[in-house]
Amino acid sequence: MNRRRIAEILQAKRQNDPVGTIFDGMLITLILLNVVAVVVATVGDIQREYESQLFLFEVISVSVFSIEYLCRVWSSVEFSNSNEANWKIRIRYIFSPMALIDLAAILPFYLGLFVNLDLRVLRIIRLVRVAKLSRYSSAMQLLLNVFRKEHRVLLASLSLLLMLMIIASSGIYLIEHSVQPDHFGSIPQAMWWAMATLTTVGYGDVTPITPLGKFFAGTITVLSMAMVALPAGILASSFSEQLRKKRDKFRAKVKQVISDGVVDTEELNELEALRKQLGIDREDAEELFALINLQRKSKSHIKCPHCGKSLN
């Protein structure tokens, strides 16, 4: 099997590729089984009784994930438009987000062979393998794109939230440290209260007791509601924008397909492939297709009042 074919199989969501589809299904199943294995391994009785079986499953899983990772690195040059040397393309791929997730999925096992680490910590770190599923989830891909596009705005809003947390912890320290030195004896101690208040969690384990402290806490709580809602609003707006772009892309494809008035099987397959790739619901796609087709037919019945020709 050549490098190009391996790259095609490793590409998620290929259309009309039975081998690739089977590979995706097997890999998703293996990832889910790994998550289940990590969870049940925390039960003492199960861990003691099935320790050898769980270790064998871990060895098999790491072997599969390691081969997958090496194949992805080796074949990454096939879908690169860069004219750089192959080794430079592979190095750049190694430091890409998904490649780092793939590496993190296998690294704890190899570290455990050479470094004496707590097995419980290694087991929990193995849960990072669930992040590999983002490669096969259009919703997760969409969310990652939102974070990528809005990261500067999100960092700015988080910076404002951090500044407000410092102001809140400093203010409550000045007001309450003399009456509650065990809770507000220093600004770092007061940061726990500030964090719980700014995130509107309000655990209630640390609260101000002076009138001025209560007034200050109320003011910070009101401000925090707006500050915490800011990142959520940014994400919601960008998420909606990304969904709109996907629908517009599918709409443009539908218009192209029905432009000649005939939709053959090949064009329907292309529409279905695009629908799956964009993660559009089948019912939404059918409604959109019917609406555009209806609009086209209604336009074809409009005739010029002068020459009588159809204004299509």
mmCIF file of all heavy atoms in Angstrom, residues 41 65 96 118 133 148 178 206 240 256 286 296:
data_model
loop_
_atom_site.group_PDB
_atom_site.id
_atom_site.type_symbol
_atom_site.label_atom_id
_atom_site.label_comp_id
_atom_site.label_asym_id
_atom_site.label_seq_id
_atom_site.Cartn_x
_atom_site.Cartn_y
_atom_site.Cartn_z
ATOM 1 N N ALA A 41 -11.382 0.635 35.393
ATOM 2 C CA ALA A 41 -10.141 0.301 36.083
ATOM 3 C C ALA A 41 -9.999 1.031 37.408
ATOM 4 O O ALA A 41 -9.172 0.647 38.248
ATOM 5 C CB ALA A 41 -8.936 0.603 35.190
ATOM 6 N N PHE A 65 -2.679 2.784 18.198
ATOM 7 C CA PHE A 65 -2.594 4.245 18.161
ATOM 8 C C PHE A 65 -1.200 4.708 17.729
ATOM 9 O O PHE A 65 -1.070 5.745 17.060
ATOM 10 C CB PHE A 65 -2.940 4.834 19.529
ATOM 11 C CG PHE A 65 -4.381 4.671 19.919
ATOM 12 C CD1 PHE A 65 -4.745 4.419 21.245
ATOM 13 C CD2 PHE A 65 -5.389 4.741 18.974
ATOM 14 C CE1 PHE A 65 -6.072 4.263 21.605
ATOM 15 C CE2 PHE A 65 -6.730 4.579 19.324
ATOM 16 C CZ PHE A 65 -7.066 4.348 20.641
ATOM 17 N N SER A 96 0.868 20.227 15.072
ATOM 18 C CA SER A 96 -0.517 20.640 14.854
ATOM 19 C C SER A 96 -1.374 20.136 16.016
ATOM 20 O O SER A 96 -1.019 19.159 16.690
ATOM 21 C CB SER A 96 -1.033 20.090 13.528
ATOM 22 O OG SER A 96 -1.079 18.676 13.556
ATOM 23 N N ASP A 118 2.789 7.526 39.141
ATOM 24 C CA ASP A 118 1.584 6.993 39.787
ATOM 25 C C ASP A 118 0.661 6.412 38.709
ATOM 26 O O ASP A 118 0.279 7.104 37.759
ATOM 27 C CB ASP A 118 0.876 8.111 40.547
ATOM 28 C CG ASP A 118 -0.229 7.569 41.455
ATOM 29 O OD1 ASP A 118 -0.714 6.442 41.211
ATOM 30 O OD2 ASP A 118 -0.599 8.275 42.405
ATOM 31 N N LEU A 133 -11.742 11.685 19.183
ATOM 32 C CA LEU A 133 -13.039 11.601 18.515
ATOM 33 C C LEU A 133 -13.396 12.906 17.812
ATOM 34 O O LEU A 133 -14.279 12.912 16.930
ATOM 35 C CB LEU A 133 -14.140 11.254 19.521
ATOM 36 C CG LEU A 133 -14.094 9.841 20.120
ATOM 37 C CD1 LEU A 133 -15.165 9.693 21.192
ATOM 38 C CD2 LEU A 133 -14.281 8.791 19.031
ATOM 39 N N ARG A 148 -10.776 28.852 17.261
ATOM 40 C CA ARG A 148 -9.638 29.313 16.465
ATOM 41 C C ARG A 148 -9.886 30.712 15.904
ATOM 42 O O ARG A 148 -8.988 31.563 15.891
ATOM 43 C CB ARG A 148 -9.373 28.320 15.331
ATOM 44 C CG ARG A 148 -8.050 28.544 14.604
ATOM 45 C CD ARG A 148 -7.836 27.509 13.527
ATOM 46 N NE ARG A 148 -7.794 26.163 14.080
ATOM 47 C CZ ARG A 148 -8.694 25.226 13.844
ATOM 48 N NH1 ARG A 148 -9.740 25.475 13.064
ATOM 49 N NH2 ARG A 148 -8.571 24.023 14.370
ATOM 50 N N SER A 178 -9.274 41.839 58.496
ATOM 51 C CA SER A 178 -9.134 42.037 59.949
ATOM 52 C C SER A 178 -10.158 41.237 60.742
ATOM 53 O O SER A 178 -9.907 40.838 61.880
ATOM 54 C CB SER A 178 -9.262 43.532 60.280
ATOM 55 O OG SER A 178 -10.523 44.029 59.849
ATOM 56 N N VAL A 206 -17.035 30.621 51.867
ATOM 57 C CA VAL A 206 -16.349 31.852 52.272
ATOM 58 C C VAL A 206 -17.240 33.024 51.876
ATOM 59 O O VAL A 206 -17.508 33.237 50.688
ATOM 60 C CB VAL A 206 -14.974 31.976 51.581
ATOM 61 C CG1 VAL A 206 -14.294 33.270 52.029
ATOM 62 C CG2 VAL A 206 -14.101 30.777 51.883
ATOM 63 N N SER A 240 -23.155 30.420 15.693
ATOM 64 C CA SER A 240 -24.280 30.651 14.798
ATOM 65 C C SER A 240 -23.796 31.085 13.418
ATOM 66 O O SER A 240 -24.351 30.662 12.393
ATOM 67 C CB SER A 240 -25.206 31.714 15.404
ATOM 68 O OG SER A 240 -26.264 32.013 14.533
ATOM 69 N N GLN A 256 -26.655 25.048 -7.714
ATOM 70 C CA GLN A 256 -25.837 24.612 -8.848
ATOM 71 C C GLN A 256 -26.373 23.307 -9.445
ATOM 72 O O GLN A 256 -26.423 23.138 -10.662
ATOM 73 C CB GLN A 256 -24.391 24.420 -8.386
ATOM 74 C CG GLN A 256 -23.460 23.899 -9.475
ATOM 75 C CD GLN A 256 -22.087 23.547 -8.930
ATOM 76 O OE1 GLN A 256 -21.722 23.950 -7.828
ATOM 77 N NE2 GLN A 256 -21.330 22.779 -9.689
ATOM 78 N N GLU A 286 -33.409 18.493 3.156
ATOM 79 C CA GLU A 286 -34.540 18.238 2.261
ATOM 80 C C GLU A 286 -35.455 19.463 2.166
ATOM 81 O O GLU A 286 -35.951 19.797 1.076
ATOM 82 C CB GLU A 286 -35.330 17.024 2.754
ATOM 83 C CG GLU A 286 -34.569 15.704 2.593
ATOM 84 C CD GLU A 286 -35.327 14.532 3.206
ATOM 85 O OE1 GLU A 286 -36.352 14.791 3.869
ATOM 86 O OE2 GLU A 286 -34.888 13.378 3.021
ATOM 87 N N ARG A 296 -37.158 28.252 -7.744
ATOM 88 C CA ARG A 296 -36.720 28.183 -9.139
ATOM 89 C C ARG A 296 -37.916 28.011 -10.071
ATOM 90 O O ARG A 296 -38.011 28.660 -11.114
ATOM 91 C CB ARG A 296 -35.734 27.028 -9.321
ATOM 92 C CG ARG A 296 -35.268 26.848 -10.762
ATOM 93 C CD ARG A 296 -34.383 25.619 -10.907
ATOM 94 N NE ARG A 296 -34.110 25.374 -12.311
ATOM 95 C CZ ARG A 296 -34.937 24.759 -13.138
ATOM 96 N NH1 ARG A 296 -36.103 24.321 -12.689
ATOM 97 N NH2 ARG A 296 -34.621 24.590 -14.413
#
